[in-house]
């Protein structure tokens, strides 16, 4: 009997020491929402839905119920699956003369960029449908329980962090373009301006909308009262119709799978482009990284820059920007095609966007990695709901053929690439990033840091990055100038950043090695992480 009691005590001790999960995301309250659910016995997918709901409240310039995204799910028992609930183009294009579509210049400090907002910039939102589809398939807790933390943050208010104050500041002209949008973001201290760091942002309408959706389901948004309001408003100046909302479907896809050295990458498949371009870059680098350069050396920086340049060239050559099909993916990853581009991979002498990410692994081995976006927002708010609809039809990156030329009734492509890295010994890592065109280069470098440089998760995420695009090599603060001098000579058109910056993405990453869980929120985007 004494031996039995001792064994039971040991079992209880072991069970109590076993972690419930790990969460990394772009705001402490986004992480807290997931943590509360995990502590209450929820799984990784419950935690992800709670965190996503919270992100729509506390990261309002990066996530919204009026946007779209992707969830890569790896159940502990079962095959991985990719939930595509990104935005869809309307079934009919109205003449340009009939739509509300206007440019806004956003000043990022070091550069300006033109975006387009208005009712004519809104694509069919998918996030609400995705929320409920994932809940139906994978969650274990009722939806009202999962949105409860988000409702609390919306009702009681959430203090605006310095990072999110910065995103609000640079998007001021968009957020204040309509009275409904300006009312949401108005400072509680000085009504003549928008909220800033340290102030509390309350969103009671959004709290009510979350409550109503959690009880009534997605039909409220796609067929019910919310849908009727959207259709009535967008009849004057927009493309969306009742049929567009009613016909929206979440697409469940097999993840794109690519072996790289000792690991296997699972990532977002076509028709999105980000995962495919990461896979292409890894296959280009596979032989080169077998002879590992020293991290932070000129050889390391030049190899990354050259790979990014060739990946961009191959993207154009394979028409990836025009829409990705399985045939395009097969061509891009064909050994002969890769060899052609790999031969060009030799260092040679030379004369921001609205996206957020979160990753969760629970103690049972379930993995969820999710990326969502609302663009910069259209400034249109669904009446009485506090929900901002996207401006994806006004995003130049998503409309490479030009505005008002998008194919009708089609899923839009995206650079978002929630990804899982799996090792033969059972170790798994979930990652992804925000950052527009920098998404793929941020994820690529985190994977290389983990697999090739054998860094732990925190160092892999925190290490400095580079990005090469359109002839300009951007180098993040943290590299030693003396060690990369040759790279700077090889790339005279370069920009040296003084410190870590959101320009280089936000790769919130978690890992599991047996019962050991770890993670890192990316400090570039106010990242937070907790092991429960």
């Amino acid at each position: 009997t004494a031996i039995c009691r001792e064994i039971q005590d040991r079992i209880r001790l072991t069970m109590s020491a076993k972690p419930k999960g790990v969460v990394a995301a772009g705001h402490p309250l986004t992480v807290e929402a997931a943590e509360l659910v995990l502590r209450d016995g929820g799984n990784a997918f419950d935690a992800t839905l709670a965190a996503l709901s919270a992100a729509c409240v506390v990261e309002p310039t990066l996530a919204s119920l009026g946007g779209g995204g992707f969830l890569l799910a790896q159940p502990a028992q079962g095959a991985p699956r990719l939930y595509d609930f990104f935005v869809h183009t309307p079934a009919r294009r109205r003449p340009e003369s009939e739509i509300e579509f206007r440019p806004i210049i956003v000043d990022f400090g070091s550069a300006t960029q033109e975006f387009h907002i208005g009712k004519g910039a809104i694509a069919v939102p998918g996030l609400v449908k995705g929320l409920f589809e994932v809940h139906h398939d994978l969650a274990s807790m009722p939806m009202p329980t999962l949105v409860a933390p988000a409702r609390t943050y919306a009702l009681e208010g959430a203090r605006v962090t310095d990072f999110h104050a910065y995103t609000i500041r640079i998007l001021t002209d968009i957020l204040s373009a309509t009275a409904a949008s300006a009312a949401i973001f108005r400072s509680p201290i000085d009504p003549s301006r928008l909220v800033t760091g340290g102030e509390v942002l309350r969103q009671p309408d959004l709290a009510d909308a979350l409550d109503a959706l959690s009880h009534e389901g997605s039909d409220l948004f796609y067929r019910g009262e919310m849908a009727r309001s959207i259709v009535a408003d967008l009849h004057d100046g927009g493309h969306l119709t009742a049929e567009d909302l009613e016909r929206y479907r979440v697409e469940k896809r097999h993840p794109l799978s690519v072996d790289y050295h000792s690991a296997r990458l699972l990532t977002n498949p076509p028709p999105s482009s980000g995962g495919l371009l990461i896979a292409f870059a890894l296959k280009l680098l596979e032989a080169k990284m077998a002879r590992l350069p020293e991290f932070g050396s000129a050889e390391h920086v030049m190899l990354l820059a050259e790979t990014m340049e060739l990946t961009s060239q191959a993207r154009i050559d394979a028409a990836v920007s025009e829409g990705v099909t399985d045939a395009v993916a097969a061509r891009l990853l064909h050994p002969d095609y890769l060899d052609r581009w790999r031969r060009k991979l030799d260092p040679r002498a030379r004369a921001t966007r609205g996206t957020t990410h979160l990753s969760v692994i629970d103690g049972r081995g379930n993995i969820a990695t999710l990326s969502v976006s609302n663009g910069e927002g259209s400034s249109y708010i669904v009446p009485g709901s506090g929900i901002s609809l996207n401006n994806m039809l006004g995003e130049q990156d998503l409309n490479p053929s030009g505005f008002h030329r998008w194919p009708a009734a089609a899923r839009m492509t995206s650079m978002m690439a929630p990804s899982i890295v799996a090792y033969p010994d059972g170790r798994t890592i979930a990652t992804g990033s925000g950052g527009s065109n920098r998404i793929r280069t941020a994820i690529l470098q985190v994977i290389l840091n983990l697999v090739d440089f054998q860094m732990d998760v925190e160092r892999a995420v925190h290490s400095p990055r580079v990005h090469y695009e359109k002839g300009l090599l951007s180098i993040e603060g943290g590299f030693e100038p003396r060690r990369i001098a040759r790279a700077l000579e090889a790339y005279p058109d370069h920009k040296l950043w003084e410190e870590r910056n959101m320009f280089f993405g936000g790769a919130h990453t978690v890992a599991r090695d047996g019962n050991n869980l770890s993670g890192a929120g990316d400090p570039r985007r106010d990242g937070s992480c907790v092991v429960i």
Side-chain angles (χ1 to χ4, degrees):
T1 303
I3 293 174
C4 287
R5 281 200 298 268
E6 183 180 351
I7 292 173
Q8 289 170 347
D9 289 342
R10 288 180 180 177
I11 290 173
R12 279 194 292 270
L13 182 62
T14 301
M15 290 180 67
S16 64
K18 185 177 181 181
K20 293 179 179 290
V22 57
V23 185
H27 192 287
L29 293 181
T30 303
V31 171
E32 182 183 80
E35 178 184 1
L36 291 170
V37 167
L38 288 171
R39 289 192 184 282
D40 201 30
N43 63 30
F45 311 113
D46 294 311
T48 297
L49 298 182
L52 172 56
S53 302
C56 291
V57 175
V58 301
E59 304 178 50
T61 59
L62 305 179
S64 171
L65 294 172
F70 305 89
L71 169 70
L72 177 54
Q74 172 64 78
Q77 305 296 326
R81 66 194 82 165
L82 189 287
Y83 289 82
D84 176 350
F85 47 93
F86 197 49
V87 299
H88 209 73
T89 60
R92 184 176 68 90
R93 279 197 306 269
R94 295 177 63 179
E96 292 180 41
S97 60
E98 296 181 8
I99 63 170
E100 178 188 280
F101 190 85
R102 59 186 186 276
I104 293 285
I105 302 297
V106 173
D107 186 355
F108 291 93
S110 59
T112 60
Q113 189 169 354
E114 182 178 278
F115 300 103
H116 290 78
I117 65 170
K119 298 175 183 178
I122 301 171
V124 187
L127 197 142
V128 171
K129 186 76 79 168
L131 190 73
F132 282 90
E133 192 92 4
V134 173
H135 182 263
H136 175 270
D137 290 355
L138 299 171
S140 65
M141 300 176 75
M143 188 66 85
T145 301
L146 299 182
V147 305
R151 288 191 63 239
T152 298
Y153 305 147
L155 277 173
E156 297 182 359
R159 198 165 298 280
V160 179
T161 67
D162 289 343
F163 169 75
H164 290 285
Y166 167 73
T167 66
I168 290 170
R169 185 172 72 252
I170 63 176
L171 296 177
T172 292
D173 288 347
I174 293 176
L175 300 177
S176 58
T178 63
S181 179
I184 292 173
F185 291 95
R186 184 174 294 127
S187 167
I189 297 173
D190 181 0
S192 68
R193 60 170 173 80
L194 302 188
V195 291
T196 189
E199 295 181 347
V200 174
L201 177 63
R202 292 183 174 85
Q203 302 173 75
D205 285 350
L206 184 54
D208 290 344
L210 285 165
D211 183 53
L213 284 166
S214 71
H215 287 94
E216 298 184 39
S218 62
D219 273 358
L220 175 63
F221 189 90
Y222 292 92
R223 296 173 181 270
E225 183 181 349
M226 289 185 186
R228 289 190 288 273
S229 294
I230 293 170
V231 171
D233 284 350
L234 299 194
H235 179 73
D236 178 20
H239 298 283
L240 265 63
T241 65
E243 290 74 19
D244 289 324
L245 291 170
E246 290 173 5
R247 292 173 182 172
Y248 183 88
R249 297 291 182 271
V250 174
E251 299 291 343
K252 300 175 189 178
R253 310 186 193 278
H254 296 292
L256 178 65
S257 175
V258 175
D259 290 332
Y260 176 71
H261 289 168
S262 62
R264 171 163 293 179
L265 172 72
L266 300 177
T267 190
N268 199 4
S272 285
S273 59
L276 176 61
L277 294 172
I278 293 169
F280 178 81
L282 286 172
K283 299 308 285 186
L284 281 185
L285 283 165
E286 197 160 28
K288 291 287 183 180
M289 293 301 281
R291 300 182 293 277
L292 197 64
E294 187 177 352
F295 184 90
S297 65
E299 291 78 9
H300 172 224
V301 171
M302 288 191 288
L303 185 58
L304 288 174
E306 194 72 12
T307 301
M308 293 171 191
E309 180 180 16
L310 292 178
T311 301
S312 295
Q313 291 176 9
R315 178 187 184 191
I316 296 170
D317 181 70
V320 170
S321 298
E322 302 301 322
V324 186
T325 64
D326 290 337
V328 169
R331 178 188 177 197
L332 202 67
L333 297 178
H334 191 279
D336 292 342
Y337 189 80
L338 282 164
D339 282 343
R340 186 181 118 200
W341 288 93
R342 199 177 284 124
R343 285 193 294 271
K344 301 180 180 182
L345 189 56
D346 289 306
R348 58 184 185 272
R350 292 171 176 262
T352 221
R353 186 135 332 170
T355 313
T356 194
H357 179 82
L358 64 95
S359 300
V360 182
I361 299 178
D362 65 29
R364 304 164 221 176
N366 297 301
I367 305 172
T369 173
L370 174 143
S371 298
V372 297
S373 178
N374 198 42
E376 293 71 41
S378 63
S379 198
Y380 169 76
I381 307 298
V382 180
S385 74
I387 298 174
S388 165
L389 295 194
N390 67 84
N391 69 322
M392 298 301 189
L393 299 182
E395 284 272 355
Q396 187 172 10
D397 289 349
L398 300 183
N399 296 272
S401 298
F403 297 121
H404 318 301
R405 298 179 63 184
W406 36 265
R411 190 59 48 98
M412 297 188 76
T413 189
S414 172
M415 198 61 71
M416 288 187 285
S419 301
I420 293 173
V421 177
Y423 294 85
D425 61 7
R427 286 178 296 153
T428 50
I429 295 159
T431 189
S433 180
S436 188
N437 279 342
R438 281 87 62 198
I439 288 174
R440 59 185 169 92
T441 58
I443 296 172
L444 171 67
Q445 289 169 86
V446 169
I447 293 172
L448 295 176
N449 291 347
L450 291 164
V451 176
D452 292 310
F453 293 105
Q454 298 184 3
M455 297 179 184
D456 60 32
V457 172
E458 186 170 2
R459 188 180 170 204
V461 170
H462 285 239
S463 291
R465 299 174 190 152
V466 305
H467 179 75
Y468 182 87
E469 186 175 4
K470 297 180 180 178
L472 175 66
L473 176 60
S474 297
I475 302 176
E476 192 173 29
F479 289 99
E480 295 181 25
R482 173 183 57 82
R483 297 184 62 207
I484 63 172
R486 192 153 55 87
L488 300 182
E489 292 175 4
Y491 289 83
D493 191 4
H494 61 258
K495 177 179 179 180
L496 296 174
W497 297 67
E498 292 184 1
E499 55 191 20
R500 305 292 192 275
N501 191 278
M502 67 175 291
F503 175 86
F504 295 91
H508 311 307
T509 304
V510 296
R512 180 175 188 262
D513 185 358
N515 285 334
N516 296 319
L517 301 177
S518 60
D522 197 325
R524 298 165 181 84
R525 293 191 173 222
D526 210 26
S528 181
C529 179
V530 64
V531 177
I532 304 99

